[in-house]
Amino acid sequence: MSEHPATTGKEATTCAIIGAGPAGMVLGLLLARAGVEVTVLEKHGDFLRDFRGDTVHPSTLRLLDELGLGEQFAALPQSKLEEIAFPDGDEGLVVVGDLRRLNVRHPYIAITPQWDLLNLLAEAAEKEPTFTLRRNTEVTGLIEQNGVVEGVRYRERQGGTGELRADLTVACDGRWSIARRQAGLRPKELPVPIDAWWFKLPQHEGEESASLTPTARDGRFAIVIPRSGYYQIAYIAKKGIDASLRARGIEHFREEVAAVRPELADRVDRLGSMDDVKHLDVRVNRLNRWHTEGLLCIGDAAHAMSPIGGVGINLAVQDAVATATVLAAPLRKGEVTSSRLAKVRRRRLLPTIAVQALQQLLHKGVAEPIVEGRRTGPPKPVIKLMRRFPKLSFIPAYLIGIGLRPEHAPAFARRVS
Ligand SMILES: Cc1cc2nc3c(=O)[nH]c(=O)nc-3n(C[C@H](O)[C@H](O)[C@H](O)COP(=O)(O)OP(=O)(O)OC[C@H]3O[C@@H](n4cnc5c(N)ncnc54)[C@H](O)[C@@H]3O)c2cc1C
């Protein structure tokens, strides 16, 4: 890995990747293993961001094995989720996705802080001589010449600015992608009935870990994710109420949380003010075109996902694997064309649409009735069906855990751990 001091100047690489999230880090690692000169620019100095996706699905676990990183990943602090269940209103829980039914080596979702996964990927990538990660480096714009993207402009935390020229720029800068906006690519927004509010509360010593099962009550629901020593909690309610929730103040919010998760009533006063509660404006959207000449968008930059099902990281990772598989050889030969960029979208469109359609279904059939106070779980006929034919829970488990057209590590990226 090469370290860059605060410089001002013009530099060049083969592939510039904007953003070191799951998409950017996996793409950087794979391209570097293919011998492609690659630079990842990340505006933050580290990966320690609260309230990001933490769910690593069977498809990503398999990929980590193929990359020779499975053992290192297994050594990270994590909990395992084997089923996706909803409260059914009266009889307890109904399992809608049973991951144990999947015929894979890791039939579960690993819940691991995203920064641990990203650090692991960064360490692996930094072993490759053609890989550079530039932290504290924010991309401020694209370099364009006659409609062709030729790299990026950046600003470093220490104040230096510069340009990085690249044969290909890949936007992995998430759902508010600056590169996408500057390239004039606009995603189509799909309707979403919910928003999420994230916060932390302490976990008492010896306390049994809460499960990831959502609990619902009177128009809101909550999901409690166990972490080391604390819980990360998502409070989910109707879209568009953030301003009124904040106006009503922290005392009201504490009462809301205690009502939906009574076991947390003894500690909700640890929320000092509404500043401790982070609003997530839930979006589901998708670009129609994922590229312009010289630029490709993948991951959340191409398609923001709802947190329902925790699929965002995994789709972003799959996009990155597809991108490396399709583009590594053309990048090495200097032959990246628009039609090759379009191939990435063609390969990833169906899996993306399928997951977004499932999320839309869950929004409409489960989340919306809950936040409107009409129900506290899935529709009764679905509950009955799942109870009668539990094998059906294989279908959502497959769509969420593996997805359509799962990607495998290309031969050039495989290692034995
Ligand atoms: C609160 C929250 C909870 C979520 N929960 C889950 C979950 O449980 N499971 C799940 O799978 N998904 C979840 N998601 C979604 C998931 O985090 C994303 O789908 C996934 O991280 C997308 O990966 P990405 O690499 O495409 O983008 P991101 O993870 O968003 O990464 C983008 C990166 O680009 C950097 N960046 C942005 N702009 C610039 C710039 N101009 N210059 C340089 N760097 C830049 C950012 O700092 C960031 O590191 C959640 C998202 C949020 C916000």
Side-chain angles (χ1 to χ4, degrees):
M1 179 219 173
S2 43
E3 284 291 342
H4 283 249
T7 53
T8 301
K10 289 185 181 173
E11 304 128 75
T13 186
T14 304
C15 181
I17 297 175
I18 313 172
M25 284 314 305
V26 170
L27 180 61
L29 168 64
L30 266 58
L31 287 181
R33 283 189 175 180
V36 174
E37 200 77 42
V38 57
T39 299
V40 183
L41 303 105
E42 168 57 49
K43 65 180 176 184
H44 290 100
D46 56 37
F47 298 127
L48 286 174
R49 258 112 48 224
D50 273 336
F51 312 135
R52 298 278 297 272
D54 282 343
T55 47
V56 182
H57 287 203
S59 58
T60 305
L61 294 169
R62 181 167 64 192
L63 177 80
L64 290 167
D65 285 344
E66 292 168 354
L67 296 174
L69 301 174
E71 275 180 24
Q72 285 173 56
F73 181 83
L76 296 176
Q78 58 189 276
S79 43
K80 293 175 183 170
L81 179 72
E82 293 179 320
E83 55 185 37
I84 300 159
F86 278 96
D88 67 2
D90 25 64
E91 283 178 61
L93 294 176
V94 58
V95 176
V96 291
D98 187 349
L99 292 131
R100 286 166 297 220
R101 293 183 185 277
L102 301 177
N103 183 20
V104 289
R105 185 160 171 224
H106 306 288
Y108 53 82
I109 293 174
I111 301 175
T112 313
Q114 197 182 109
W115 58 79
D116 281 337
L117 173 66
L118 294 178
N119 273 326
L120 185 151
L121 293 167
E123 275 170 28
E126 283 165 352
K127 292 191 179 125
E128 304 299 324
T130 57
F131 179 84
T132 304
L133 171 60
R134 299 181 62 167
R135 301 173 197 259
N136 291 315
T137 307
E138 180 171 5
V139 169
T140 51
L142 299 173
I143 306 170
E144 283 181 87
Q145 190 87 41
N146 304 324
V148 180
V149 175
E150 293 186 348
V152 297
R153 294 196 179 80
Y154 64 81
R155 180 176 50 227
E156 291 168 321
R157 180 147 299 176
Q158 302 93 322
T161 57
E163 291 185 1
L164 176 67
R165 304 238 156 215
D167 297 350
L168 174 67
T169 300
V170 186
C172 298
D173 49 345
R175 59 207 208 112
W176 306 115
S177 169
I178 180 178
R180 176 182 76 193
R181 194 174 61 240
Q182 290 215 349
L185 298 171
R186 274 187 189 58
K188 179 174 179 240
E189 299 288 336
L190 304 173
V192 177
I194 52 167
D195 273 346
W197 288 263
W198 290 91
F199 54 94
K200 291 192 247 180
L201 285 175
Q203 185 176 18
H204 296 330
E205 221 179 298
E207 195 168 44
E208 215 172 279
S209 275
S211 84
L212 269 181
T213 306
T215 46
R217 208 169 148 174
D218 300 335
R220 62 273 214 245
F221 60 109
I223 300 168
V224 178
I225 303 172
R227 287 277 183 83
S228 326
Y230 68 94
Y231 293 122
Q232 178 174 319
I233 301 156
Y235 170 91
I236 295 167
K238 226 179 190 163
K239 191 165 212 38
I241 64 161
D242 183 56
S244 64
L245 204 59
R246 283 178 196 280
R248 295 182 78 173
I250 192 64
E251 192 48 51
H252 169 257
F253 189 75
R254 290 181 191 137
E255 285 164 15
E256 289 279 297
V257 175
V260 72
R261 296 301 291 223
E263 77 276 19
L264 299 176
D266 63 353
R267 68 203 86 171
V268 286
D269 57 356
R270 297 293 287 272
L271 291 170
S273 77
M274 286 307 284
D275 291 345
D276 295 335
V277 181
K278 188 175 155 53
H279 172 225
L280 171 67
D281 175 9
V282 176
R283 298 281 177 121
V284 178
N285 64 30
R286 195 168 63 233
L287 281 178
N288 184 28
R289 197 162 190 258
W290 292 19
H291 77 279
T292 60
E293 219 173 311
L295 175 79
L296 175 68
C297 300
I298 62 168
D300 273 19
H303 47 70
M305 312 300 290
S306 160
I308 301 267
V311 287
I313 297 174
N314 305 279
L315 269 188
V317 165
Q318 298 270 308
D319 284 1
V321 178
T323 304
T325 305
V326 172
L327 297 179
L331 276 165
R332 270 200 314 259
K333 293 184 205 148
E335 290 173 358
V336 174
T337 57
S338 271
S339 69
R340 286 195 206 268
L341 297 182
K343 212 169 157 186
V344 174
R345 171 189 171 272
R346 277 204 302 280
R347 189 167 168 140
R348 296 302 308 151
L349 190 61
L350 182 63
T352 307
I353 288 178
V355 172
Q356 289 187 327
L358 181 66
Q359 290 191 324
Q360 297 284 97
L361 207 70
L362 290 170
H363 281 165
K364 202 84 203 134
V366 183
E368 191 171 284
I370 292 178
V371 296
E372 286 179 354
R374 289 188 272 124
R375 272 206 313 264
T376 54
K380 286 268 183 262
V382 174
I383 294 174
K384 272 194 189 149
L385 195 71
M386 286 303 198
R387 286 206 187 291
R388 184 120 193 251
F389 304 105
K391 283 186 179 164
L392 283 178
S393 66
F394 169 83
I395 300 169
Y398 188 87
L399 282 176
I400 288 173
I402 310 261
L404 298 182
R405 193 161 190 180
E407 299 286 343
H408 286 272
F412 60 74
R414 288 183 183 235
R415 301 286 185 277
V416 180
S417 42

